[in-house]
């Protein structure tokens, strides 16, 4: 059995029994995952990437408990392979990300994605032809944070959100891409939907400019995310937020 060196967000559900002993005894899935993520580089053909990402999707969906300890590897790989700038890759990585979110413990999943994003942002700036791909991976990560945030109870989010503060403020103030700023807005709006109190939120995210606070307050008002929770209002707000997430997931328009 794969033994994690740190707490793992995966494996909360039941393990598939189909072939499970074979995977565990020889750690074959461990080896397959490493080989797959090393082989599927951005320069591979669309067909190879399509088949390889299909395999990874099935691994995450059906054998999530056996990926324990490799979640950061998987998410970092997803950020990298999006540099292929192919439509099928964008769609597949979105699907794999969403399955990871479904399978993960939300607290540890949030931390895993955040660490991966922090490492991603420390890399040197890419060449000009890859700037849009970097922006896409940046937004991809922020959307993952937003989706995990929506799974957390408000009292847990209060403890987790301060760890995201610098990342969110940096993204919200990004001067290179409106898409990055939009993804940051979406993530902060997700937090507001759970907290329902912008004063508390702005205290946690100390460092926001007055202009940013006014814009966020306007956004909160538009989706009815202020004041006491109301089921119908929250449902409508989530629907609007979902539309903005889908728009972000479709950007930029890659090569087919």
């Amino acid at each position: 059995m794969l033994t994690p060196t740190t707490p793992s967000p995966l494996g909360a559900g039941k393990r598939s029994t189909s072939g499970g002993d074979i995977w565990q005894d020889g750690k074959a899935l461990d080896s397959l995952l490493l080989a797959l993520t090393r082989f599927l580089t951005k320069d591979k053909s669309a067909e190879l990437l399509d088949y390889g990402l299909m395999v990874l999707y099935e691994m995450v969906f059906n054998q999530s408990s056996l990926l324990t300890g490799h979640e950061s590897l998987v998410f970092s790989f997803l950020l990298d392979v999006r540099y292929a700038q192919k439509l099928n890759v964008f769609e597949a990585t979105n699907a794999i990300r969403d399955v990871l979110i479904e399978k993960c413990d939300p607290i540890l999943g949030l931390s895993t994605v955040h660490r991966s994003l922090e490492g991603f942002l420390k890399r040197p700036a890419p060449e000009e032809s890859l700037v849009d791909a970097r922006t896409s991976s940046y937004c991809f990560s922020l959307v993952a944070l937003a989706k995990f945030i929506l799974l957390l109870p408000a009292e847990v989010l209060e403890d987790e959100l301060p760890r995201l503060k610098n990342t969110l403020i940096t993204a919200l103030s990004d001067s290179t891409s409106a898409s990055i700023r939009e993804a940051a807005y979406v993530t902060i709006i997700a937090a507001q939907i759970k907290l329902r109190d912008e004063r508390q939120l702005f205290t946690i995210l100390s460092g926001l400019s007055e202009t940013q606070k006014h814009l966020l307050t306007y956004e909160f008002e538009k989706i009815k995310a202020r004041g006491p929770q109301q089921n119908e209002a929250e449902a409508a707000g989530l629907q609007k937020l979902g539309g903005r997430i889908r728009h972000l997931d479709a950007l930029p328009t890659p090569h087919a």
Side-chain angles (χ1 to χ4, degrees):
M1 187 173 188
L2 301 180
T3 304
T5 56
T6 57
S8 168
L10 283 177
K14 292 183 179 179
R15 175 175 61 83
S16 171
T17 57
S18 177
D21 292 338
I22 296 173
W23 286 125
Q24 288 181 309
D25 291 345
K27 295 191 175 180
L29 188 139
D30 187 8
S31 299
L32 175 59
L33 177 64
L34 291 173
L36 194 62
T37 55
R38 289 171 180 168
F39 175 74
L40 294 176
T41 54
K42 64 182 176 62
D43 59 319
K44 293 295 190 296
S45 70
E47 185 178 23
L48 276 176
L49 288 169
D50 204 25
Y51 284 126
L53 290 169
M54 192 182 304
V55 171
L56 181 58
Y57 177 90
E58 293 296 333
M59 290 168 67
V60 173
F61 186 82
N62 292 306
Q63 300 289 347
S64 61
S65 63
L66 299 183
L67 294 178
T68 296
H70 295 292
E71 303 83 8
S72 291
L73 169 65
V74 172
F75 197 82
S76 295
F77 161 74
L78 295 179
L79 298 181
D80 288 338
V81 78
R82 289 172 69 87
Y83 276 72
Q85 300 188 84
K86 293 179 172 64
L87 179 60
N88 63 320
V89 172
F90 276 37
E91 291 176 343
T93 51
N94 288 345
I96 294 167
R97 176 200 62 196
D98 291 347
V99 171
L100 279 169
I101 291 169
E102 178 186 335
K103 300 287 185 179
C104 282
D105 171 86
I107 299 175
L108 292 175
L110 184 73
S111 176
T112 296
V113 170
H114 188 228
R115 285 196 306 271
S116 295
L117 176 56
E118 286 181 315
F120 176 79
L121 294 177
K122 290 177 182 177
R123 300 178 188 176
E127 57 190 80
E128 187 174 351
S129 64
L130 296 176
V131 168
D132 284 348
R134 178 187 182 276
T135 296
S136 174
S137 287
Y138 198 163
C139 294
F140 174 87
S141 301
L142 291 168
V143 167
L145 292 178
K147 290 190 172 193
F148 274 124
I149 283 170
L150 290 171
L151 296 176
L152 294 175
E155 59 272 18
V156 174
L157 182 58
E158 291 172 13
D159 294 331
E160 297 298 321
L161 200 55
R163 300 181 178 91
L164 308 182
K165 181 181 79 168
N166 291 337
T167 298
L168 294 179
I169 293 176
T170 298
L172 197 63
S173 305
D174 188 275
S175 62
T176 66
S177 170
S179 295
I180 292 172
R181 295 193 297 274
E182 166 67 4
Y185 273 113
V186 162
T187 308
I188 295 172
I189 291 168
Q192 173 66 12
I193 286 174
K194 302 303 293 189
L195 294 178
R196 311 293 304 182
D197 183 350
E198 64 267 25
R199 289 176 298 178
Q200 180 187 20
L201 179 63
F202 293 157
T203 298
I204 294 173
L205 299 180
S206 58
L208 291 170
S209 70
E210 289 303 313
T211 299
Q212 288 170 334
K213 290 178 184 178
H214 289 315
L215 287 172
L216 283 165
T217 302
Y218 170 72
E219 295 283 1
F220 301 158
E221 185 64 36
K222 277 202 308 184
I223 64 168
K224 309 298 183 186
R226 304 178 70 193
Q229 182 175 354
Q230 299 176 355
N231 290 337
E232 290 185 5
E234 183 174 6
L238 287 171
Q239 185 174 11
K240 291 179 181 178
L241 189 64
R244 292 172 73 165
I245 287 173
R246 287 189 293 274
H247 179 71
L248 285 166
D249 277 346
L251 296 174
T253 302
H255 304 295

